[in-house]
Amino acid sequence: MFGRGTWWLVGAVIVACLVLVGPGGPSDASSGKPLPAGAVKHVVPDRVMTWNICNPCKESDVDRAAEIAKYAPQVIGLQEACVRDVEQIRDHLENRYGLVYHVEYGSVLQSWGRCGGAPWNPGGYGEALLSSSPMTDRVHVEYPDGGSEDRGYMAVTTTVGGRPVRVFNTHLAERRQEEVRAGQVGVLAAAVARYDRAVVLGDFNAVPEAAELAPMWALATDTDPQCRPSSAGACEPTTDWHSKFDYVFLRGLTPLGHAVRPTPYSDHHLLHTDLKPN
């Protein structure tokens, strides 16, 4: 058995390690992974992002939060989002990286298969918006025809570039459901048209030249100035199957730059853009 002096020495070493390392340590306490190399310390003003986080892909919310922390957008639109996952992502962003967000939800399903929970209280599934600035006037609309699964859009008003902006987040019907998506875009475009300054985020499940996206192109431009329906070959893919399905449409706003970031945690890439304050 160890003597009292030995135990005292062990305790002193442990205390010294805690002082040197700090309460959180240099790595993710739950997974042992280092913090992302590109993680920023503060939210990046006027940066907006869209990301279909893929459910039910059973990815770690710690890893999802780490991916977001690399770019720290001011506004984040998530699709295929379970409420419980978003709650955990939001907590990780604050507790691990000091990035504080407000959150609003646009759930279209209560799905035990996708989001878990008790059989009598399944988790909410759909869209979510996070913003470092307060959000007001939330609207949640389910499309009259969701296709093979209920779909909808949500919208909030928040501050971007020092001025109020209407932000939409949507997920349209799955591939090979063009007629359904056309009806959904009609509903969404009618709502967007009411605002002079709007950001429309989402997974549209359609390539730029798809006919059903025409009403959106008539109202807004893609964050990539080279990406238009007539120049689809110049549009950077946002999915693992080399198609552009994810968009940041801008109405009355000017992009300063954008980036598509592949990630191992979803079959969709992160897409973010910096906006010119105006």
Side-chain angles (χ1 to χ4, degrees), residues 13-275:
V13 170
I14 292 173
V15 170
C17 289
L18 288 174
V19 171
L20 289 172
V21 173
S27 64
D28 182 321
S30 66
S31 68
K33 296 180 180 179
L35 299 181
V40 299
K41 301 300 182 183
H42 304 285
V43 168
V44 179
D46 308 327
R47 175 173 290 176
V48 299
M49 186 187 88
T50 183
W51 188 21
N52 181 321
I53 59 175
C54 186
N55 268 311
C57 292
K58 308 302 182 185
E59 297 291 347
S60 165
D61 291 324
V62 171
D63 292 330
R64 288 166 166 162
E67 286 291 283
I68 294 171
K70 292 178 183 178
Y71 315 110
Q74 179 184 345
V75 178
I76 304 163
L78 300 177
Q79 302 89 41
E80 295 196 16
C82 294
V83 170
R84 290 183 179 88
D85 286 330
V86 176
E87 289 174 344
Q88 293 185 43
I89 290 169
R90 181 192 184 197
D91 287 345
H92 292 321
L93 287 169
E94 180 171 358
N95 297 332
R96 297 174 186 276
Y97 308 109
L99 304 174
V100 180
Y101 290 96
H102 306 268
V103 63
E104 294 286 355
Y105 296 99
S107 297
V108 293
L109 293 172
Q110 299 297 311
S111 175
W112 182 86
R114 286 186 178 271
C115 299
W120 57 89
N121 185 28
Y125 169 85
E127 289 78 61
L129 278 167
L130 293 86
S131 174
S132 63
S133 300
M135 293 178 281
T136 61
D137 303 321
R138 183 190 76 97
V139 170
H140 174 222
V141 175
E142 290 194 34
Y143 295 124
D145 183 356
S148 55
E149 180 180 79
D150 291 350
R151 295 290 163 92
Y153 77 81
M154 61 180 300
V156 302
T157 297
T158 189
T159 302
V160 177
R163 295 176 59 190
V165 175
R166 195 65 172 167
V167 179
F168 294 80
N169 184 21
T170 191
H171 186 192
L172 300 189
E174 295 176 350
R175 288 178 286 179
R176 295 179 294 278
Q177 300 182 53
E178 293 85 353
E179 291 185 4
V180 175
R181 286 196 300 274
Q184 294 171 348
V185 172
V187 173
L188 176 63
V192 174
R194 293 197 288 266
Y195 297 90
D196 294 329
R197 288 166 49 84
V199 177
V200 187
L201 310 170
D203 173 5
F204 283 71
N205 269 319
V207 294
E209 65 270 26
E212 63 266 29
L213 294 190
M216 283 304 307
W217 289 113
L219 289 172
T221 58
D222 188 79
T223 182
D224 179 357
Q226 303 302 317
C227 183
R228 298 292 182 268
S230 59
S231 60
C235 301
E236 190 171 359
T238 64
T239 65
D240 287 352
W241 51 93
H242 308 296
S243 295
K244 178 177 172 65
F245 278 6
D246 305 272
Y247 297 82
V248 176
F249 281 113
L250 303 176
R251 179 170 167 84
L253 295 159
T254 304
L256 292 176
H258 76 285
V260 177
R261 308 291 189 180
T263 166
Y265 306 115
S266 175
D267 52 359
H268 287 254
H269 309 334
L270 293 88
L271 169 61
H272 68 76
T273 188
D274 295 330
L275 303 177

